[in-house]
């Protein structure tokens, strides 16, 4: 949906600013939803929430600002330090329940309570993200294309009927507290549909939770919404446990009698809260930041320190306003990478070493990242086992249901190779849960890759699955056809999606033949595609991709602005974050695109300058990472631009950073 910036007000207060992505901002329906999000967020106040401080839903780039809270998410804390215990656990349960009580009291349902949306700050837990909250009257504020909720944190009634109400938040709260207490997902992990089945039909794993707290959690995880406590009841029950830990007693006072019950709960949480304090980073003073236009002076973004929220284009963090990053890589790191260094911790691949003190040839062993696939692996072969090379017929009904599991060494190795390649591609987009099934139809001479059933996957994710399947199958089959043309009968591949278990015929997503070439053929002349752009826009979860993206975006922006200042007849882009990039692991290409509303790149000369800037700034970083990190697969790039009010970019050039003599 946008990017969250750690920012400073003119008075020096730290705030977090969510800036909406331009493509979303141009959608009138989205703007209407964002206005409602702002109104809903403004309703909610409580000690364990981050209050909305300011917003502008009508700005060219709509934004909202909340108080800044340092600290890891619950998920990050458990990964680093293990489960919460004792008073800290009770304080966590109390604070998060009280936060939900405040949300529900304002007539809002959160709908996305999960470990990633709870920060552990020095002052206690803080519940975040009303980006998909909605009012009790049913008007939703949802992120376009994203299924409401997160598998593992969705209530049984939501799976059954799509109902999202306050009781669903309490179910997710019970799962959240169980996770905090044990470090285990109460309904396990795995495929989303398997988790959904356990939530709707199984029992949670609550072993290890203190008995008094376990009773409250069990009630919150009841299958029937009416059997769950409401948020104030859960908060009060947890506060009683917390008071006992703190040797204080609530004395059974009601809120009306005490008048300060909420203050007491906040004090109890603070007294018992004990988590490692995060590093207190030094932020630049407002007067140290270059002056902005009056329109932007209210909030001066100095440094990106937070992950992209939702489906932000490129899926990479970009350090735009100077300073040192608070998390992840740094500009020093990016500079080192450009000079040939790396901060990945991976030793340089000795098979590609060069320079003084080594006699190992640069290509002493095949590099799996650049092994070429011939355009037609059966060219010149007489009587190949695959006899459908010239057959252009589409798959017919029954091919999928008649396929079978791999039999024999060659088929098993091919199935494993396809699965391994797909897993590597999908993992960079946080899509490892889309595990493929590979089967064989000897009569049709076809290898079949099937995904699903996963009911919560959007069409965009299915499209990436299709592309990854076709590439992996094409490459694997092409090598088999080349190595054993007289024995290997499979040259066609089909990709299917199974919508539910037990169906007789799956939905076909795509098909092709290995004899028609693959994406990896002729690596020196690989071209960008619209499908590649779409895939690169899905946020990356790979730390190396995020790190390289950060330094590259800044380098391209700086180099372009330098050329503008030198007087080459060029113009600056009409927005500071006009240049973005992302990675397509299917085609193994980095995409750089510009948001060119004022037509900066309309002429051939301007495009040539931009291509030269990308080549001279992006290629050193890609090649440095390629030489230092044997897992790095990106040496190709493509450039596109969103021009004017276009909703889809125009591809206008692409290239390969590898020297000609190094190409396969």
């Amino acid at each position: 949906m946008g990017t969250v910036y750690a920012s400073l007000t003119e008075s020096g207060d730290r705030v977090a600013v969510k800036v909406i992505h331009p493509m979303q901002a141009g959608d009138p329906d989205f703007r209407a939803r964002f206005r409602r999000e702002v109104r809903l967020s403004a309703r909610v106040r409580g000690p364990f929430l981050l209050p909305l401080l300011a917003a502008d839903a009508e700005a060219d780039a709509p934004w909202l600002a909340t108080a800044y809270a340092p600290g890891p998410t619950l998920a990050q804390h458990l990964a680093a330090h293990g489960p919460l215990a004792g008073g800290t656990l009770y304080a966590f349960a109390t604070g998060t329940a009280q936060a939900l009580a405040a949300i529900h009291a304002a007539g809002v349902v959160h709908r996305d309570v999960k470990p990633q949306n709870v920060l552990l700050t020095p002052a206690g837990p803080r519940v975040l993200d009303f980006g998909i909250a909605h009012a009790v009257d049913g008007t939703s504020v949802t992120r376009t294309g994203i299924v409401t909720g997160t598998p593992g944190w969705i209530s049984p009634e939501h799976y059954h009927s799509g109902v999202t109400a306050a009781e669903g938040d309490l179910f997710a709260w019970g799962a959240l507290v169980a996770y905090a207490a044990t470090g285990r997902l109460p309904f396990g992990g795995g495929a989303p549909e398997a988790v959904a089945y356990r939530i709707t039909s199984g029992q949670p794993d609550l072993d290890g939770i203190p008995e008094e707290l376990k009773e409250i959690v069990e009630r919150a995880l009841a299958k029937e919404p009416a059997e769950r406590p409401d948020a104030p009841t859960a908060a009060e029950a947890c506060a009683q446990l917390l008071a006992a830990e703190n040797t204080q007693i609530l004395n059974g006072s009601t809120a009306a009698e005490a008048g300060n019950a909420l203050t007491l709960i906040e004090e109890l949480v603070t007294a018992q809260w004990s988590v490692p304090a995060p590093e207190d980073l030094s932020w630049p003073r407002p007067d140290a930041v270059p002056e902005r236009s009056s329109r932007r002076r209210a909030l001066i973004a100095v440094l990106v320190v937070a992950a992209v929220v939702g489906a932000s284009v490129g899926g990479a963090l970009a350090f735009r306003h100077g300073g040192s990053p608070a998390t992840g890589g740094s500009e020093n790191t990016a500079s080192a990478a450009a000079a040939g260094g790396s901060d990945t911790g991976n030793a340089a691949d000795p098979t590609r070493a060069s320079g003084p003190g080594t006699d190992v040839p640069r290509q002493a062993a095949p590099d799996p990242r650049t092994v070429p696939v011939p355009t037609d692996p059966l060219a010149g072969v007489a009587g190949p086992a695959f006899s459908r090379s010239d057959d252009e017929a589409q798959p017919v009904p029954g091919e999928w249901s008649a396929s079978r599991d791999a039999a024999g060494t060659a088929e098993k190795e091919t199935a494993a190779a396809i699965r391994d390649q797909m897993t590597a591609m999908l993992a960079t987009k946080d899509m490892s849960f889309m595990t493929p099934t590979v089967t064989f139809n000897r009569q049709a001479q076809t290898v079949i890759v099937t995904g699903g059933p996963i009911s919560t996957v959007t069409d965009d994710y299915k499209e990436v699955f299709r592309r990854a399947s076709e590439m992996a199958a094409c490459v694997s089959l092409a090598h088999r056809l080349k190595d054993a043309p007289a024995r290997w009968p499979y040259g066609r591949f089909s990709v299917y999606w199974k919508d539910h278990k037990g169906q007789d015929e799956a939905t076909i997503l795509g098909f092709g033949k290995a004899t028609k070439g693959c994406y990896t053929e002729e690596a020196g002349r690989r071209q960008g595609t619209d499908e590649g752009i779409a895939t690169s826009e899905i946020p990356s979860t790979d730390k190396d991709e995020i790190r390289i993206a950060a330094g590259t975006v800044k380098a391209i922006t700086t180099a372009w602005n330098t050329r503008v200042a030198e007087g080459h007849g060029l113009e600056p882009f009409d927005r500071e974050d006009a240049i973005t990039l992302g990675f397509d692991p299917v085609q193994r290409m980095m995409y750089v695109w510009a948001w060119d509303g004022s037509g900066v790149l309309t002429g051939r000369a301007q495009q040539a300058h931009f291509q030269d800037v990308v080549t001279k700034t992006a290629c050193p970083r890609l090649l440095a990472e390629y030489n230092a990190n044997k897992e790095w697969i990106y040496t190709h790039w493509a450039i596109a631009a969103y021009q004017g009010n276009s909703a889809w970019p125009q591809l206008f050039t692409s290239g390969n950073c590898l020297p000609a003599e190094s190409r396969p």
Side-chain angles (χ1 to χ4, degrees), residues 23-39:
M23 287 189 67
Q24 300 280 22
D27 179 356
D29 291 337
F30 179 86
R31 275 192 181 265
R33 292 195 300 271
F34 182 72
R35 292 187 193 101
R36 185 163 180 84
E37 177 187 341
V38 169
R39 290 197 298 271

Side-chain angles (χ1 to χ4, degrees), residues 418 421-422 425-426 463-473 586:
I418 293 173
Q421 290 182 54
M422 290 188 64
M425 286 185 275
L426 297 176
E463 175 66 8
V464 178
F465 180 86
R466 177 194 67 79
R467 296 183 67 233
S469 299
E470 290 183 351
M471 177 187 171
V586 178

Side-chain angles (χ1 to χ4, degrees), residues 212-537:
E212 299 85 352
L213 183 61
K214 182 178 179 181
E215 180 181 351
I216 304 170
V217 171
E218 284 177 334
R219 291 173 56 203
L221 293 176
K223 304 298 184 191
E224 295 297 326
E227 297 177 4
R228 299 172 201 149
D230 60 16
T233 300
E236 183 177 353
C238 293
Q240 293 285 352
L241 299 178
L242 185 59
E245 284 284 324
N246 203 41
T247 66
Q248 296 184 29
I249 304 297
L250 291 179
N251 295 323
S253 299
T254 65
E257 293 170 340
N260 293 319
L262 186 57
T263 300
L264 176 57
I265 288 177
E266 185 176 5
E267 291 175 352
L268 288 172
V269 169
T270 303
Q272 286 296 312
W273 187 249
S274 177
V275 298
E279 181 183 358
D280 186 17
L281 299 168
S282 176
W283 292 18
R285 300 186 314 278
D287 57 10
V289 181
E291 185 70 14
R292 307 284 182 199
S293 67
S294 60
R295 193 174 183 179
R296 297 190 177 218
R297 277 201 295 266
L299 291 163
I300 304 172
V302 295
L303 174 67
V304 173
V305 298
V308 173
V309 176
S312 173
V313 170
L317 303 184
F319 305 119
R320 307 188 202 280
H321 299 298
S324 300
T327 60
S330 68
E331 184 53 33
N332 290 337
T333 298
S335 300
S342 171
D343 73 339
T344 63
N346 295 331
D349 186 353
T351 66
R352 294 186 285 111
S354 61
T358 178
D359 58 359
V360 181
R362 188 178 190 280
Q363 292 291 343
D367 189 332
R369 302 174 300 184
T370 56
V371 173
V373 177
T375 302
D376 183 358
L378 295 180
V381 176
F386 176 59
S387 60
R388 300 187 64 180
S389 183
D390 296 325
D391 185 352
E392 301 300 329
Q394 298 184 15
V396 299
E399 284 188 11
W400 178 80
S401 56
S403 65
R404 53 166 176 74
D405 292 337
T409 301
E411 289 184 7
K412 291 179 180 178
E413 289 178 351
T414 299
I418 293 173
R419 285 193 296 267
D420 289 347
Q421 290 182 54
M422 290 188 64
T423 298
M425 286 185 275
L426 297 176
T428 67
K429 301 296 182 183
D430 201 20
M431 294 169 58
S432 298
F433 61 90
M434 300 178 74
T435 306
T437 300
V438 181
T439 53
F440 296 78
N441 186 321
R442 180 67 178 258
Q443 182 176 359
Q445 298 185 334
T446 302
V447 170
I448 294 174
V449 183
T450 305
I454 306 174
S455 60
T456 56
V457 169
T458 63
D459 289 341
D460 289 342
Y461 279 70
K462 290 181 184 179
E463 175 66 8
V464 178
F465 180 86
R466 177 194 67 79
R467 296 183 67 233
S469 299
E470 290 183 351
M471 177 187 171
C474 187
V475 171
S476 297
L477 297 187
H479 283 297
R480 282 290 179 185
L481 292 173
K482 180 181 179 182
D483 294 340
R487 300 188 305 275
W488 183 253
Y490 302 103
R492 291 165 60 97
F493 52 85
S494 300
V495 183
Y496 288 81
W497 188 264
K498 188 165 56 173
D499 295 310
H500 56 82
K501 294 180 179 178
Q503 67 189 98
D504 296 329
E505 194 70 32
T507 302
I508 190 164
L509 299 181
F511 60 92
K513 288 186 294 188
T515 53
K516 289 296 184 181
C518 306
Y519 290 128
T520 53
E521 69 179 86
E522 301 180 70
R525 293 191 291 139
R526 199 178 307 163
Q527 303 295 312
T529 64
D530 288 345
E531 294 87 350
I533 290 178
T535 301
S536 68
E537 289 181 340

